[in-house]
Amino acid sequence: MNTNYDTGKAVSLSSFETLSTPVLSDAMDELGIACTIPGLTAQRFHQPTVAGFAMTAKFVVAERDESAYRFGGGVGRPLEKVLQEMARGDMVVMDLGGTQTASSWGGLASRLASMKGVKGTVVNGTCRDVAEIRGIGYPVWAVGAFPRRSRNEFAFGSMRQEVVIGGVVISPGDVVVADASGVVCVPRGRAGEVLKLAMQIQETEWELLSQIERGDVVNWDQV
């Protein structure tokens, strides 16, 4: 596990990666935890489940901030701070207010993240270099794709602070799980509880699937 975060108890990311986001969402619904993040889609085809500890960053609107300037494309100065801090086991969570006209994450960032062992990136905004991201095989979730860089419109705001995306509060060290269906955030203090219930729900669904495959559904209460 990533030792950057004290979760109170050891959290097995590999255990979360055996579960889908729908199963985890069902478990959190049962527990009254509203942590399914809307509006984000996987930028790779056939994206398997990945889980990591949230490393949060927030960018703020700042038109043509001189401190953010760097010629041409490449990695913007606001993003540079995130790339320097991210570490193995992290899930980078970047909040740009859901912008659809400025992309903070792209191919170069994905290459560096992959080399560092970062589990994936979740962007409340657009990303770019999608073909390169898919070629690398690095997991990215975003509101969409857009080729324009972000540093004309955004500057660095904060890092390792609580962010709110789609009404969901994400704190540093929370377990962020994402797959082809979307993204969920498991509060770190309830990770064990959520994992246990989600595994029970998954076992129930496997039993129902077995019944369906036999052509003999005997208990719809298991759905």
Side-chain angles (χ1 to χ4, degrees):
M1 65 178 282
N2 187 336
T3 57
N4 287 341
Y5 305 106
D6 178 9
T7 59
K9 294 182 180 179
V11 175
S12 171
L13 294 179
S14 60
S15 293
F16 277 99
E17 290 178 337
T18 67
L19 300 162
S20 69
T21 57
V23 166
L24 286 164
S25 179
D26 289 350
M28 287 192 284
D29 280 349
E30 292 290 337
L31 295 169
I33 305 171
C35 286
T36 304
I37 304 172
L40 301 174
T41 56
Q43 300 303 301
R44 293 170 59 205
F45 302 117
H46 313 298
Q47 174 63 58
T49 303
V50 297
F53 295 108
M55 196 206 83
T56 56
K58 185 176 180 65
F59 286 8
V60 295
V61 176
E63 185 175 351
R64 296 190 176 277
D65 176 17
E66 291 302 319
S67 68
Y69 179 76
R70 175 175 280 143
F71 174 76
V75 174
R77 293 192 189 280
L79 179 60
E80 196 176 301
K81 299 177 185 292
V82 178
L83 301 181
Q84 289 170 348
E85 289 288 323
M86 65 186 183
R88 181 172 299 277
D90 281 342
M91 181 77 83
V92 175
V93 179
M94 299 180 61
D95 182 14
L96 281 82
T99 180
Q100 298 184 50
T101 60
S103 293
S104 60
W105 192 272
L108 292 175
S110 295
R111 289 183 185 278
L112 181 57
S114 183
M115 290 173 59
K116 284 192 167 189
V118 175
K119 301 305 290 285
T121 298
V122 173
V123 184
N124 185 26
T126 53
C127 68
R128 64 183 194 170
D129 303 325
V130 174
E132 186 176 358
I133 287 170
R134 290 173 179 168
I136 297 165
Y138 180 74
V140 176
W141 288 261
V143 301
F146 195 74
R148 185 167 179 256
R149 66 190 189 184
S150 65
R151 57 189 181 270
N152 285 18
E153 294 184 20
F154 288 88
F156 179 80
S158 62
M159 192 157 49
R160 302 191 191 281
Q161 301 290 323
E162 182 181 281
V163 298
V164 181
I165 300 176
V168 175
V169 177
I170 305 168
S171 298
D174 283 348
V175 180
V176 177
V177 186
D179 60 15
S181 291
V183 183
V184 300
C185 174
V186 182
R188 65 177 181 263
R190 304 190 71 177
E193 180 185 10
V194 171
L195 182 61
K196 180 179 179 180
L197 182 56
M199 287 181 167
Q200 292 173 355
I201 291 172
Q202 180 165 266
E203 288 176 3
T204 300
E205 291 198 348
W206 283 343
E207 173 57 29
L208 181 62
L209 174 61
S210 178
Q211 292 179 24
I212 291 171
E213 289 176 340
R214 295 195 307 266
D216 184 27
V217 178
V218 295
N219 189 357
W220 283 102
D221 287 337
Q222 291 182 318
V223 178

